Amino acid sequence: MESAVQDAFANGLFSMSEIAFDKEHHFAVVSYRFWCGSLCGNGSTQVFEKIKGEWKNANRNCGSWVS
């Protein structure tokens, strides 16, 4: 079973959306997906906030999936 998981991760496909910003560039949103087979993968849309010049995860998950 462990080799099947290793094979899936070795041949998986990772993709990200473009990063979208609010007008003031205070928040950013990005989606990602990792697909490793017909019933294998995960993804999420994450929100980041710029605090004191650094981007931090705002812990505002806008939806995620796991298969």
Side-chain angles (χ1 to χ4, degrees):
M1 173 122 160
E2 186 173 319
S3 65
V5 172
Q6 290 174 346
D7 287 344
F9 279 103
N11 297 302
L13 175 66
F14 179 81
S15 63
M16 286 178 51
S17 69
E18 288 188 39
I19 301 171
F21 297 93
D22 69 328
K23 214 177 220 184
E24 291 80 28
H25 279 75
H26 186 72
F27 290 95
V29 178
V30 64
S31 294
Y32 70 87
R33 297 162 240 26
F34 179 73
W35 183 80
C36 50
S38 60
L39 292 176
C40 176
N42 66 67
S44 183
T45 300
Q46 297 289 313
V47 178
F48 294 87
E49 182 176 8
K50 197 170 194 178
I51 301 172
K52 296 182 182 178
E54 292 186 31
W55 289 103
K56 306 284 185 178
N57 190 326
N59 293 318
R60 293 184 185 179
N61 189 334
C62 293
S64 59
W65 60 273
V66 175
S67 176

